[in-house]
Amino acid sequence: MATDFRIVVLISGRGTNLKSLIEAAQHYKIAQVISNKSAAPGLAIAAARGIPTSVITRDEYRSLDEQKEAILQAVRSARPDLVVLAGFMQILPPTFVDIFQDRIVNIHPSLLPKFVGLDTHARALAAGERVHGCTAHLVDSGLDSGAIIAQAAVRVDANDTAESLGAKVLEREHDLYPWVINAFAQGQILTNRGNLSFSEGLITEAQMFGFSVGSPPR
Ligand code: GRF
């Protein structure tokens, strides 16, 4: 389907979320995939579908700042409507976050605000959580701290390991993330300086898929 909503996907690794974004692209076009790791398996997934890829690694530049500037310029030249982080393991510099304010999203493997950062599945198990999941959120200058767009929950079973729990969560990530990006592309999610609003239709649809929309009640 022809669409003029352009996204750029930033990856660092295996690219299973990228794959789900490619397969479920209805209302958006993946203009470019950028990786900060040359060995990222996600690059081959994109290339196999004819999606342009760029590799911008730290060791090609004199400093980390210069490499991050190169990523910013590559993203800008792809003219994205939305910057989509999918397992991108670098902190974006404040200038990047400012330039693309309200237009950067990430998928995180926990029900934020719980378990910011790494090793979320092991930490959820250690904390005795009965429910765990994933979150699509806006990116701001903090760590996993931007406004929550939508979440998908999974049950934690008594015999779950970090691996089995991670696999269940990942499956839901693959449903949730493309759904969120398609919704952005259709104008069903609006952003204003870090605040979000959602169309009525989107909220109804979320219920059908078992997703929650917006921040969870405190
Ligand atoms: C996912 O668990 C995602 O939640 C996190 O990084 C991982 C990326 O996995 N941000 P993949 O590269 O998409 O397979």
Side-chain angles (χ1 to χ4, degrees):
M1 179 183 162
T3 168
D4 55 7
F5 190 93
R6 296 166 66 84
I7 72 168
V8 167
V9 184
L10 267 55
I11 63 166
S12 299
R14 65 190 166 177
T16 65
N17 277 286
L18 168 66
K19 183 164 180 278
S20 74
L21 288 165
I22 294 170
E23 286 171 355
Q26 272 187 286
H27 303 284
Y28 57 85
K29 173 190 165 74
I30 304 180
Q32 181 94 24
V33 170
I34 299 173
S35 173
N36 66 330
K37 298 285 176 195
S38 49
L43 286 166
I45 296 173
R49 307 295 179 107
I51 299 169
T53 60
S54 319
V55 177
I56 302 176
T57 63
R58 167 67 188 85
D59 55 13
E60 294 168 81
Y61 293 86
R62 277 179 304 186
S63 69
L64 183 60
D65 284 352
E66 281 184 26
Q67 181 241 1
K68 289 188 174 184
E69 177 62 25
I71 291 179
L72 171 60
Q73 293 315 329
V75 171
R76 280 183 119 165
S77 37
R79 294 176 289 105
D81 296 292
L82 197 65
V83 179
V84 177
L85 309 186
F88 184 64
M89 301 301 284
Q90 267 196 325
I91 308 266
L92 297 178
T95 32
F96 193 124
V97 176
D98 282 352
I99 289 167
F100 289 100
Q101 187 189 26
D102 288 333
R103 290 189 294 145
I104 312 172
V105 295
N106 183 39
I107 182 90
H108 181 76
S110 78
L111 294 174
L112 292 171
K114 286 183 175 175
F115 310 116
V116 163
L118 300 175
D119 299 325
T120 55
H121 311 306
R123 286 158 61 208
L125 283 177
E129 297 290 328
R130 311 304 296 268
V131 176
H132 183 47
C134 54
T135 302
H137 64 94
L138 279 185
V139 172
D140 65 12
S141 54
L143 181 62
D144 303 325
S145 61
I148 291 173
I149 303 165
Q151 297 183 309
V154 303
R155 203 179 65 189
V156 181
D157 295 313
N159 58 355
D160 264 327
T161 60
E163 288 68 36
S164 66
L165 187 54
K168 285 194 285 191
V169 170
L170 191 62
E171 203 176 308
R172 292 301 273 158
E173 292 182 30
H174 297 161
D175 298 330
L176 181 71
Y177 213 19
W179 179 80
V180 163
I181 309 304
N182 276 309
F184 259 102
Q186 290 175 285
Q188 293 175 305
I189 300 174
L190 299 178
T191 56
N192 182 14
R193 292 174 181 269
N195 294 307
L196 291 163
S197 52
F198 308 98
S199 73
E200 282 299 321
L202 190 75
I203 294 167
T204 310
E205 203 180 293
Q207 285 165 354
M208 277 165 33
F209 291 119
F211 302 148
S212 65
V213 163
S215 288
R218 283 171 186 268

